[in-house]
Short mmCIF file of all heavy atoms in Angstrom, two decimals:
data_model
loop_
_atom_site.label_atom_id
_atom_site.label_comp_id
_atom_site.label_asym_id
_atom_site.label_seq_id
_atom_site.Cartn_x
_atom_site.Cartn_y
_atom_site.Cartn_z
N CYS A 30 6.26 -1.44 -12.66
CA CYS A 30 6.55 -0.01 -12.56
C CYS A 30 8.06 0.15 -12.56
O CYS A 30 8.72 -0.20 -11.57
CB CYS A 30 5.93 0.58 -11.30
SG CYS A 30 6.37 2.31 -10.99
N SER A 31 8.59 0.67 -13.65
CA SER A 31 10.02 0.88 -13.78
C SER A 31 10.37 2.29 -13.32
O SER A 31 9.79 3.27 -13.79
CB SER A 31 10.45 0.67 -15.23
OG SER A 31 11.83 0.91 -15.39
N VAL A 32 11.32 2.39 -12.41
CA VAL A 32 11.74 3.67 -11.84
C VAL A 32 13.06 4.08 -12.46
O VAL A 32 14.00 3.28 -12.52
CB VAL A 32 11.88 3.58 -10.31
CG1 VAL A 32 12.27 4.93 -9.72
CG2 VAL A 32 10.58 3.08 -9.69
N SER A 33 13.15 5.33 -12.90
CA SER A 33 14.35 5.80 -13.61
C SER A 33 15.58 5.85 -12.71
O SER A 33 16.68 5.57 -13.16
CB SER A 33 14.09 7.17 -14.23
OG SER A 33 13.81 8.14 -13.23
N GLY A 34 15.41 6.25 -11.46
CA GLY A 34 16.51 6.32 -10.52
C GLY A 34 16.52 5.12 -9.60
O GLY A 34 15.82 4.13 -9.82
N SER A 35 17.32 5.23 -8.55
CA SER A 35 17.39 4.16 -7.57
C SER A 35 16.10 4.10 -6.76
O SER A 35 15.61 5.11 -6.27
CB SER A 35 18.58 4.36 -6.64
OG SER A 35 18.58 3.40 -5.60
N ILE A 36 15.59 2.91 -6.61
CA ILE A 36 14.36 2.73 -5.84
C ILE A 36 14.60 3.02 -4.36
O ILE A 36 13.64 3.29 -3.63
CB ILE A 36 13.82 1.30 -6.06
CG1 ILE A 36 12.33 1.24 -5.70
CG2 ILE A 36 14.61 0.29 -5.25
CD1 ILE A 36 11.65 -0.02 -6.17
N PHE A 37 15.85 3.02 -3.95
CA PHE A 37 16.17 3.31 -2.55
C PHE A 37 16.06 4.80 -2.23
O PHE A 37 16.19 5.18 -1.07
CB PHE A 37 17.58 2.81 -2.22
CG PHE A 37 17.74 1.33 -2.32
CD1 PHE A 37 18.45 0.76 -3.35
CD2 PHE A 37 17.16 0.50 -1.37
CE1 PHE A 37 18.59 -0.61 -3.44
CE2 PHE A 37 17.30 -0.87 -1.45
CZ PHE A 37 18.02 -1.43 -2.49
N SER A 38 15.84 5.63 -3.22
CA SER A 38 15.64 7.06 -2.99
C SER A 38 14.29 7.36 -2.38
O SER A 38 14.06 8.48 -1.92
CB SER A 38 15.78 7.83 -4.31
OG SER A 38 17.08 7.67 -4.85
N PHE A 39 13.40 6.38 -2.37
CA PHE A 39 12.04 6.59 -1.92
C PHE A 39 11.71 5.74 -0.71
O PHE A 39 12.23 4.64 -0.54
CB PHE A 39 11.05 6.29 -3.05
CG PHE A 39 11.36 7.06 -4.30
CD1 PHE A 39 12.01 6.45 -5.36
CD2 PHE A 39 11.01 8.39 -4.41
CE1 PHE A 39 12.30 7.15 -6.51
CE2 PHE A 39 11.31 9.11 -5.55
CZ PHE A 39 11.95 8.49 -6.60
N ASN A 40 10.83 6.27 0.12
CA ASN A 40 10.42 5.57 1.33
C ASN A 40 9.20 4.68 1.11
O ASN A 40 8.95 3.77 1.89
CB ASN A 40 10.11 6.56 2.45
CG ASN A 40 11.30 7.41 2.83
OD1 ASN A 40 11.22 8.64 2.80
ND2 ASN A 40 12.41 6.77 3.17
N VAL A 41 8.46 4.97 0.06
CA VAL A 41 7.25 4.19 -0.22
C VAL A 41 6.99 4.14 -1.71
O VAL A 41 7.22 5.11 -2.44
CB VAL A 41 6.04 4.79 0.53
CG1 VAL A 41 5.72 6.18 0.02
CG2 VAL A 41 4.83 3.87 0.42
N MET A 42 6.55 2.98 -2.16
CA MET A 42 6.07 2.81 -3.52
C MET A 42 4.62 2.37 -3.43
O MET A 42 4.26 1.55 -2.58
CB MET A 42 6.89 1.76 -4.27
CG MET A 42 8.37 2.10 -4.41
SD MET A 42 8.65 3.58 -5.44
CE MET A 42 7.94 3.04 -6.99
N ARG A 43 3.80 2.93 -4.30
CA ARG A 43 2.36 2.68 -4.23
C ARG A 43 1.78 2.34 -5.59
O ARG A 43 2.26 2.78 -6.63
CB ARG A 43 1.62 3.91 -3.67
CG ARG A 43 1.94 4.24 -2.23
CD ARG A 43 1.05 5.38 -1.75
NE ARG A 43 1.13 5.60 -0.31
CZ ARG A 43 1.69 6.66 0.25
NH1 ARG A 43 2.24 7.61 -0.51
NH2 ARG A 43 1.72 6.78 1.57
N TRP A 44 0.74 1.56 -5.55
CA TRP A 44 -0.12 1.33 -6.70
C TRP A 44 -1.50 1.91 -6.38
O TRP A 44 -2.06 1.64 -5.32
CB TRP A 44 -0.26 -0.16 -7.03
CG TRP A 44 0.92 -0.73 -7.75
CD1 TRP A 44 1.92 -1.48 -7.23
CD2 TRP A 44 1.20 -0.59 -9.15
NE1 TRP A 44 2.81 -1.83 -8.21
CE2 TRP A 44 2.40 -1.30 -9.39
CE3 TRP A 44 0.56 0.05 -10.22
CZ2 TRP A 44 2.98 -1.38 -10.66
CZ3 TRP A 44 1.13 -0.03 -11.48
CH2 TRP A 44 2.32 -0.73 -11.69
N ASN A 45 -2.01 2.70 -7.31
CA ASN A 45 -3.32 3.31 -7.18
C ASN A 45 -4.13 2.97 -8.42
O ASN A 45 -3.58 2.56 -9.45
CB ASN A 45 -3.21 4.83 -7.05
CG ASN A 45 -2.20 5.26 -6.02
OD1 ASN A 45 -2.54 5.53 -4.87
ND2 ASN A 45 -0.93 5.35 -6.42
N ARG A 46 -5.44 3.14 -8.34
CA ARG A 46 -6.27 2.92 -9.50
C ARG A 46 -7.44 3.89 -9.50
O ARG A 46 -7.86 4.39 -8.46
CB ARG A 46 -6.78 1.48 -9.56
CG ARG A 46 -7.78 1.11 -8.47
CD ARG A 46 -8.12 -0.37 -8.55
NE ARG A 46 -9.10 -0.76 -7.55
CZ ARG A 46 -9.48 -2.01 -7.32
NH1 ARG A 46 -8.95 -3.01 -8.02
NH2 ARG A 46 -10.39 -2.28 -6.38
N GLN A 47 -7.96 4.14 -10.69
CA GLN A 47 -9.11 5.00 -10.83
C GLN A 47 -10.02 4.46 -11.92
O GLN A 47 -9.61 4.32 -13.07
CB GLN A 47 -8.71 6.44 -11.15
CG GLN A 47 -9.87 7.41 -11.15
CD GLN A 47 -9.42 8.86 -11.14
OE1 GLN A 47 -8.34 9.18 -11.63
NE2 GLN A 47 -10.25 9.74 -10.60
N ALA A 48 -11.24 4.17 -11.55
CA ALA A 48 -12.25 3.71 -12.48
C ALA A 48 -13.06 4.91 -12.96
O ALA A 48 -13.16 5.92 -12.27
CB ALA A 48 -13.16 2.68 -11.82
N PRO A 49 -13.67 4.82 -14.14
CA PRO A 49 -14.47 5.93 -14.66
C PRO A 49 -15.57 6.35 -13.68
O PRO A 49 -16.31 5.51 -13.18
CB PRO A 49 -15.07 5.36 -15.95
CG PRO A 49 -14.09 4.32 -16.38
CD PRO A 49 -13.60 3.70 -15.10
N GLY A 50 -15.64 7.65 -13.41
CA GLY A 50 -16.67 8.18 -12.53
C GLY A 50 -16.42 7.96 -11.06
O GLY A 50 -17.28 8.31 -10.24
N LYS A 51 -15.28 7.41 -10.69
CA LYS A 51 -14.97 7.15 -9.29
C LYS A 51 -13.68 7.85 -8.87
O LYS A 51 -12.86 8.22 -9.70
CB LYS A 51 -14.86 5.65 -9.02
CG LYS A 51 -16.15 4.89 -9.24
CD LYS A 51 -16.01 3.44 -8.84
CE LYS A 51 -17.32 2.70 -9.00
NZ LYS A 51 -17.19 1.27 -8.60
N GLN A 52 -13.52 8.01 -7.57
CA GLN A 52 -12.32 8.62 -7.03
C GLN A 52 -11.13 7.67 -7.13
O GLN A 52 -11.29 6.45 -7.16
CB GLN A 52 -12.53 9.03 -5.58
CG GLN A 52 -13.56 10.13 -5.38
CD GLN A 52 -13.69 10.53 -3.92
OE1 GLN A 52 -13.25 9.82 -3.02
NE2 GLN A 52 -14.28 11.69 -3.69
N ARG A 53 -9.95 8.25 -7.16
CA ARG A 53 -8.74 7.45 -7.17
C ARG A 53 -8.60 6.72 -5.85
O ARG A 53 -8.86 7.27 -4.77
CB ARG A 53 -7.52 8.33 -7.43
CG ARG A 53 -6.23 7.56 -7.63
CD ARG A 53 -5.14 8.48 -8.12
NE ARG A 53 -4.86 9.54 -7.17
CZ ARG A 53 -4.43 10.75 -7.50
NH1 ARG A 53 -4.26 11.05 -8.78
NH2 ARG A 53 -4.19 11.65 -6.57
N GLU A 54 -8.18 5.48 -5.92
CA GLU A 54 -8.11 4.60 -4.77
C GLU A 54 -6.71 4.04 -4.59
O GLU A 54 -6.09 3.59 -5.56
CB GLU A 54 -9.12 3.45 -4.94
CG GLU A 54 -9.06 2.37 -3.88
CD GLU A 54 -9.92 1.17 -4.22
OE1 GLU A 54 -10.18 0.95 -5.42
OE2 GLU A 54 -10.35 0.47 -3.28
N LEU A 55 -6.22 4.05 -3.37
CA LEU A 55 -4.95 3.40 -3.07
C LEU A 55 -5.17 1.90 -2.99
O LEU A 55 -6.01 1.42 -2.22
CB LEU A 55 -4.39 3.92 -1.74
CG LEU A 55 -3.12 3.23 -1.23
CD1 LEU A 55 -1.95 3.45 -2.19
CD2 LEU A 55 -2.78 3.73 0.17
N VAL A 56 -4.42 1.16 -3.78
CA VAL A 56 -4.58 -0.28 -3.86
C VAL A 56 -3.58 -1.01 -2.97
O VAL A 56 -3.94 -1.92 -2.22
CB VAL A 56 -4.43 -0.77 -5.31
CG1 VAL A 56 -4.48 -2.29 -5.39
CG2 VAL A 56 -5.54 -0.16 -6.18
N ALA A 57 -2.31 -0.63 -3.07
CA ALA A 57 -1.27 -1.31 -2.32
C ALA A 57 -0.07 -0.38 -2.15
O ALA A 57 0.17 0.49 -2.98
CB ALA A 57 -0.84 -2.60 -3.01
N GLU A 58 0.68 -0.59 -1.08
CA GLU A 58 1.89 0.19 -0.87
C GLU A 58 2.97 -0.67 -0.23
O GLU A 58 2.67 -1.60 0.53
CB GLU A 58 1.62 1.43 -0.02
CG GLU A 58 0.88 1.19 1.28
CD GLU A 58 0.46 2.49 1.96
OE1 GLU A 58 0.75 3.57 1.43
OE2 GLU A 58 -0.17 2.41 3.03
N PHE A 59 4.21 -0.34 -0.57
CA PHE A 59 5.38 -1.07 -0.10
C PHE A 59 6.32 -0.06 0.52
O PHE A 59 6.85 0.81 -0.17
CB PHE A 59 6.04 -1.80 -1.27
CG PHE A 59 7.09 -2.79 -0.87
CD1 PHE A 59 6.88 -4.15 -1.06
CD2 PHE A 59 8.30 -2.39 -0.33
CE1 PHE A 59 7.85 -5.08 -0.71
CE2 PHE A 59 9.28 -3.30 0.03
CZ PHE A 59 9.04 -4.66 -0.16
#
């Protein structure tokens, strides 16, 4: 995941996923 600005501008970075017919799910956060 490439961020256009400084990554230090944010308090959290997350990865989420969504499978067909299912709700979006939080996978991991930093």
Side-chain angles (χ1 to χ4, degrees):
C30 174
S31 178
V32 182
S33 62
S35 174
I36 201 167
F37 296 108
S38 298
F39 306 101
N40 300 124
V41 65
M42 299 295 299
R43 294 186 170 110
W44 282 101
N45 311 265
R46 68 185 182 187
Q47 187 167 27
K51 296 185 177 181
Q52 294 182 343
R53 187 170 61 210
E54 174 189 25
L55 174 63
V56 175
E58 51 189 359
F59 191 112

